[in-house]
């Protein structure tokens, strides 16, 4: 009886020890898993914080880019406005120049017919201004004796001539034109020769009134 009881006691202690060992193993395993899970959570949390930091930096950089773009747009708008103002002022100055040239040209024509002494004086005035015009990129279309160029001349009168070599040649300038920075701003109004045979039959020269 005593031996049986002792044996049962030993078996019970062995079972309890085995149970405790098993529980301790399970507990260690749970703790180990918890530790690894915590490490994973810490790593994930760190990565999330880093992503948040990167997103904020990206947002700040994007805002800076948008601000810079808006400033650039404002500067471009101001530049376009300024260019438009300059072009408008330029056109007004060219209109003033055109009116001046027309008046001086009319004075020259009148003086040549009625008071030749004034031609020299008016020509001096024109020469004084011509240098400024050239330096400003302006050249006048005022030459006679050259072939008609419909890009430069508007033929408003045709003069018949029996000299064939003078056909389609500018005979007279009624109002000068001008070229600004390589662009024809106003054509010269001119009279041009048209060759006519001595028997009165016109030769085809293609010369017409106007363009």
């Amino acid at each position: 009886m005593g031996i049986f009881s002792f044996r049962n006691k030993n078996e019970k202690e062995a079972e309890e020890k085995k149970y405790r060992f098993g529980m301790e193993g399970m507990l260690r395993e749970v703790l180990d898993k918890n530790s690894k899970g915590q490490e994973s959570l810490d790593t994930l949390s760190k990565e999330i914080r880093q992503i948040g930091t990167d997103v904020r930096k990206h947002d700040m950089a994007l805002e800076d880019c948008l601000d810079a773009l808006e400033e650039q747009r404002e500067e471009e708008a101001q530049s376009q406005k300024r260019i438009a103002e300059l072009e408008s002022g330029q056109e007004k100055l060219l209109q003033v120049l055109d009116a001046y040239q027309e008046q001086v040209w009319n004075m020259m024509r009148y003086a040549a017919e009625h008071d030749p002494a004034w031609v020299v004086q008016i020509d001096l005035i024109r020469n004084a201004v011509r240098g400024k015009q050239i330096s400003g990129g302006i050249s006048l279309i005022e030459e006679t004796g050259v072939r008609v160029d419909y890009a430069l001349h508007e033929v408003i009168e045709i003069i018949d001539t029996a000299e064939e070599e003078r056909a389609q040649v500018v005979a007279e300038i009624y109002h000068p034109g001008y070229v600004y920075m390589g662009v024809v701003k106003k054509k010269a109004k001119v009279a041009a020769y048209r060759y006519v045979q001595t028997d009165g039959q016109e030769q085809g020269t293609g010369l017409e009134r106007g363009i």
Side-chain angles (χ1 to χ4, degrees):
M1 187 76 174
I3 296 172
F4 180 77
S5 298
F6 179 76
R7 190 174 289 173
N8 285 341
K9 183 179 179 181
N10 288 339
E11 290 176 354
K12 184 177 180 181
E13 289 178 352
E15 288 177 357
E16 290 177 352
K17 184 177 181 180
K18 182 179 180 181
Y19 176 76
R20 286 196 304 272
F21 184 78
M23 291 298 294
E24 289 174 355
M26 290 177 63
L27 181 60
R28 283 194 298 270
E29 185 177 353
V30 170
L31 292 174
D32 186 56
K33 288 182 178 179
N34 286 340
S35 178
K36 291 180 178 179
Q38 185 62 44
E39 289 178 0
S40 297
L41 287 175
D42 291 342
T43 301
L44 181 60
S45 177
K46 183 178 180 180
E47 290 177 352
I48 291 173
R49 287 196 298 272
Q50 184 61 45
I51 291 172
T53 301
D54 292 342
V55 169
R56 285 192 295 273
K57 289 180 179 179
H58 175 74
D59 289 342
M60 292 175 63
L62 182 59
E63 288 179 1
D64 291 340
C65 289
L66 291 175
D67 290 341
L69 181 60
E70 184 63 26
E71 290 177 1
Q72 183 178 358
R73 287 177 177 172
E74 291 179 1
E75 290 176 358
E76 289 178 355
Q78 291 295 325
S79 297
Q80 291 295 329
K81 182 180 179 181
R82 181 58 178 162
I83 289 172
E85 291 174 351
L86 290 173
E87 289 178 346
S88 177
Q90 184 182 83
E91 286 298 321
K92 290 178 181 178
L93 287 174
L94 291 175
Q95 290 173 6
V96 171
L97 172 66
D98 182 40
Y100 160 79
Q101 290 292 345
E102 188 167 330
Q103 291 300 319
V104 171
W105 194 263
N106 289 335
M107 290 171 61
M108 282 283 291
R109 287 170 57 85
Y110 181 85
E113 294 179 6
H114 300 89
D115 193 353
W118 272 97
V119 172
V120 176
Q121 296 298 323
I122 296 172
D123 201 40
L124 288 174
I125 295 173
R126 294 179 66 239
N127 289 334
V129 176
R130 184 174 286 110
K132 298 294 183 181
Q133 292 173 341
I134 294 173
S135 63
I138 300 170
S139 58
L140 297 181
I141 307 170
E142 58 179 353
E143 189 177 359
T144 59
V146 297
R147 298 281 295 181
V148 172
D149 182 345
Y150 287 103
L152 304 176
H153 304 118
E154 178 184 352
V155 180
I156 62 173
E157 184 178 357
I158 295 174
I159 301 174
D160 292 337
T161 178
E163 301 176 36
E164 188 173 0
E165 65 276 9
R166 298 178 72 180
Q168 295 188 345
V169 169
V170 175
E172 187 173 357
I173 302 289
Y174 290 115
H175 296 294
Y178 64 96
V179 178
Y180 177 65
M181 303 298 287
V183 179
V184 178
K185 304 295 288 187
K186 182 180 179 180
K187 295 180 181 181
K189 297 182 184 297
V190 305
Y193 290 112
R194 176 177 57 182
Y195 171 61
V196 178
Q197 286 184 335
T198 55
D199 60 3
Q201 183 179 358
E202 296 180 359
Q203 292 287 333
T205 62
L207 193 62
E208 300 174 349
R209 293 177 182 271
I211 301 299

